[in-house]
């Protein structure tokens, strides 16, 4: 069913009895040409682009819980393409362009809102670094603008610019950045993939790989064996656990990242703002809640919940720039498990096992990458060669010394 | 999380910084034929298990000792805390 304003009126006249489920509840078939493991944003987007752009044949997505139960439904929904390095920026700008056309492409309202992102500056050195970053963005076809404190104050009157330990000296804005309704991304891609014939199989956990003579033949799952020509893994925080079943060790640690939502408020925050002297970022959802977060907890974790020291740190960051928000009450907080890679950048690559492909290492920034990640992973699965914009996202970059380390932190995942 | 420091007793985990997998104690031999590949594996690859994990914590805001903490990554429960020095010596390291 195509969604449209006309359809809403038509269904309203019929007491909304005519709406159909957005995707089929498929039973697993004995064999698929391509199986994607993980029904998060990246897995579903991969299946969609495989079916639609690359004429994939029989494709399934296997999800251990329900689609969207992982990080795609837990993140703070920020999209942007404000990266510095050549290996990253063209890829993320491609992603932002895909976001801009996504709702029309999927015929699905993902509430994509290009309300802008602003990175605050507090020191001269930071200004230099952000001017360089802004130039790198512009060189790669993205938009970037340096703003003065007066310009910032106009759009964000609640910011504490002067009476602060870290006075605000300006900011780097990307006006095309913004937020998206994250669940709708999972649902929209699922519906799109389903309509192209992809089987979305929920409650189906992959428990092992069947590998013979260095080639993958299929998957052991909680719903029995399923044969496969090719397998693409996109399980984010569970990457190391899954790939260990194929005897692989990854350049990755799993860490917990927390997020927070306040009670609903009247509109107070126009776009996304990030603090430059500590780790805090915030936007306001369309429902009115302040959505914010900060640092990783900093130690390996699969617990999907964090601890109090980071809660305190995040709230201190918030109070430093938006003292008025201290009056808002916290409604909910939660955690998600991040696939933190050794250089802070992702991997989209073949493995040494024939027919087994890997997508992961998205750290805390993989939501914005969803469309491009799906597109490039589908390209790799279909053509056996990397998409031109993802050629740097290879496993062997660590051994070759070709790290894509945006922050220059080295092989310390909790610092990226 | 509370870390039961062998010398100082119970300390809040926020006094510590985290380095990661305690296998980092086992530095490869730089003179070995395969040193380049060994150091790549040592520096970049991790087991990253869901469950019990031995890891290095540094008591930065305390006595600045390195500890090996055995912690469950699914529950954050800590079952054992040792001085990293003792662990390294047990493995035959002299310093
Ligand atoms: C608190 C928080 C805030 C974030 N904020 C942002 C942000 O503002 N902007 C941004 O760009 N990114 C953000 N991120 C990061 C982003 O959410 C992730 O990088 C991205 O969602 C990961 O890709 P995914 O959607 O495919 O992952 P997931 O949704 O986690 O998908 C992986 C799926 O694989 C399934 N799975 C795991 N193991 C198996 C198995 N054995 N068999 C079958 N299925 C399996 C899981 O159940 C899961 O559904 C944030 C993350 C968190 C936790």
């Amino acid at each position: 069913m195509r969604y449209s304003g006309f359809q809403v009126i038509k269904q309203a006249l019929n007491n909304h009895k005519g709406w159909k489920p957005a995707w089929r509840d498929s039973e697993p078939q004995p064999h698929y040409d391509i199986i994607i493991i993980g029904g998060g944003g990246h897995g579903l987007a991969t299946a969609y682009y495989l079916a639609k752009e690359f004429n994939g044949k029989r494709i399934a997505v296997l999800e251990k819980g329900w689609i969207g139960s992982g990080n795609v439904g837990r993140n703070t929904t920020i999209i942007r393409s404000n990266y510095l390095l050549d290996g990253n920026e063209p890829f993320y700008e491609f992603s932002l362009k895909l976001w801009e056309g996504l709702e029309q492409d999927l015929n699905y309202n993902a509430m994509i809102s290009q309300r802008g992102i602003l990175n605050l500056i507090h020191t001269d050195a930071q200004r230099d670094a952000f001017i360089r970053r802004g130039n790198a963005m512009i060189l790669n076809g993205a938009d970037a603008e340096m703003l003065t404190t007066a310009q910032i104050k106009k759009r964000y009157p609640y910011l504490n610019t002067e009476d602060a330990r870290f006075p605000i000296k300006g900011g780097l804005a990307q006006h095309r950045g913004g937020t998206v309704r994250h669940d709708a991304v999972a649902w929209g891609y699922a519906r799109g993939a389903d309509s192209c014939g992809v089987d979305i199989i929920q409650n189906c956990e992959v428990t092992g790989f069947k590998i013979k003579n260095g080639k993958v033949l299929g998957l052991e799952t909680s719903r029995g064996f399923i044969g496969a020509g090719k397998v693409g893994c996109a399980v984010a925080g569970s990457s190391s656990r899954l790939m260990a079943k194929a005897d692989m060790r990854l350049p990755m640690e799993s860490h917990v990242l927390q997020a927070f939502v306040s009670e609903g408020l009247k509109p107070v925050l126009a776009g996304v703002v990030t603090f430059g002297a500590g780790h805090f970022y915030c936007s306001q959802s369309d429902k009115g809640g302040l959505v914010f977060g900060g640092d990783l907890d900093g130690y390996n974790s699969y617990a999907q919940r964090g601890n109090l020291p980071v809660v305190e740190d995040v709230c201190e960051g918030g109070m430093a720039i938006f003292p008025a928000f201290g009056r808002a009450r916290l409604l909910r907080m939660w955690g998600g498990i991040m696939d933190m890679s050794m250089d802070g950048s992702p991997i989209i690559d073949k493995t040494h096992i024939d027919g087994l492909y890997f997508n992961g290492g998205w750290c805390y920034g993989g939501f914005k990458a969803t469309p491009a990640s799906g597109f490039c992973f589908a390209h790799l699965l279909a053509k056996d060669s990397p998409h031109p914009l993802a050629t740097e996202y290879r496993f062997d970059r660590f051994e070759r010394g070709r790290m894509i380390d945006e922050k220059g932190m080295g092989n310390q995942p909790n610092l990226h | 999380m509370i870390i039961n420091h062998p010398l100082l007793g119970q300390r809040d985990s926020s006094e510590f910084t985290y380095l990661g997998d305690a296998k980092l104690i086992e530095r490869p031999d730089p003179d070995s034929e395969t040193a380049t590949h060994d150091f790549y594996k040592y520096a970049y690859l991790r087991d990253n298990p869901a469950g019990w994990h031995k890891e290095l914590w540094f008591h930065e805001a305390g006595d600045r000792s390195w500890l090996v903490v055995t912690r469950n990554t699914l529950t954050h429960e800590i079952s054992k805390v040792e001085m990293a020095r003792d662990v390294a010596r047990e493995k035959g390291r002299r310093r």
Side-chain angles (χ1 to χ4, degrees), chain A residues 27-281:
Chain A
E27 285 297 312
Q29 302 297 309
H31 188 275
Y32 290 94
D33 294 324
I34 302 180
I35 294 182
I36 309 295
I37 309 174
H42 292 215
L44 293 164
T46 305
Y48 171 71
Y49 291 118
L50 259 177
K52 180 161 173 269
E53 304 283 339
F54 299 99
N55 295 320
K57 287 168 230 147
R58 297 163 51 73
I59 303 164
V61 177
L62 309 186
E63 164 55 47
K64 77 170 173 199
W66 65 93
I67 61 167
S69 57
N71 291 338
V72 70
R74 291 167 186 268
N75 63 70
T76 39
T77 81
I78 298 162
I79 61 168
R80 56 187 169 88
S81 66
N82 54 2
Y83 284 71
L84 173 71
L85 300 179
D86 288 342
N88 276 333
E89 180 59 13
F91 172 86
Y92 284 101
E93 176 55 21
F94 174 53
S95 203
L96 193 52
K97 293 215 168 74
L98 286 175
W99 281 117
E100 286 171 332
L102 191 72
E103 293 171 312
Q104 298 306 319
D105 185 26
L106 293 176
N107 174 233
Y108 201 85
N109 180 7
M111 295 166 70
I112 294 166
S113 161
Q114 292 182 291
R115 55 187 67 183
I117 178 163
L118 173 68
N119 306 123
L120 296 174
I121 294 169
H122 309 271
T123 64
D124 288 343
Q126 206 166 27
R127 183 192 310 279
D128 291 346
F130 278 9
I131 289 173
R132 180 176 172 221
R133 177 181 296 262
N135 285 336
M137 291 162 65
I138 291 167
L139 283 172
N140 283 296
D143 66 307
E145 190 187 352
M146 294 296 292
L147 299 182
T148 64
T149 313
Q151 286 171 307
I152 290 172
K153 257 307 223 213
K154 257 198 189 147
R155 188 160 158 84
Y156 297 104
Y158 294 103
L159 267 180
N160 182 13
T161 47
E162 279 104 43
D163 174 28
R165 169 74 180 80
F166 301 103
I168 293 165
K169 297 293 186 192
L172 173 66
Q174 183 176 31
H175 302 300
R176 286 162 61 242
T179 58
V180 181
R181 169 136 196 234
H182 49 11
D183 310 291
V185 174
W187 300 332
Y189 273 122
R191 174 171 169 268
D194 177 88
S195 72
C196 297
V198 172
D199 282 359
I200 295 165
I201 302 161
Q202 304 187 79
N203 300 311
C204 182
E205 178 171 4
V206 173
T207 53
F209 296 90
K210 185 168 174 194
I211 296 166
K212 223 175 188 174
N213 300 328
K215 183 174 176 10
V216 68
L217 302 177
L219 301 169
E220 305 294 345
T221 80
S222 54
R223 294 175 72 173
F225 178 79
I226 308 177
K230 290 181 179 178
V231 174
C233 306
V235 296
S238 302
S239 291
S240 294
R241 288 172 90 175
L242 180 67
M243 301 318 279
K245 299 182 203 299
D247 289 328
M248 285 181 69
R249 289 174 85 216
L250 302 183
M252 226 169 267
E253 288 177 2
S254 293
H255 284 262
V256 59
L257 179 69
Q258 304 190 61
F260 310 84
V261 172
S262 79
E263 60 189 326
L265 305 173
K266 293 238 167 102
V268 285
L269 188 58
V272 183
V273 177
T274 73
F275 184 31
H279 208 153
F280 170 83
Y281 62 91

Side-chain angles (χ1 to χ4, degrees), chain B residues 28-87:
Chain B
D29 173 8
D31 295 327
S32 133
E33 293 259 304
T34 55
T36 313
H37 190 64
D38 295 345
F39 269 94
Y40 151 68
K41 289 204 285 193
Y42 169 80
Y44 294 108
L45 301 185
R46 299 286 183 269
D47 289 339
N48 193 19
W52 292 106
H53 188 223
K54 278 185 185 296
E55 47 200 30
L56 285 162
W57 292 73
F58 176 55
H59 200 190
E60 187 168 32
D63 71 347
R64 305 187 72 77
S65 57
W66 283 94
L67 305 181
V68 172
V69 176
T70 307
R71 197 179 54 95
N72 192 322
T73 58
L74 286 162
T75 60
H76 300 159
E77 181 196 352
I78 293 173
S79 67
K80 193 170 174 189
V81 184
E82 302 155 274
M83 301 296 289
R85 188 181 53 200
D86 297 341
V87 175

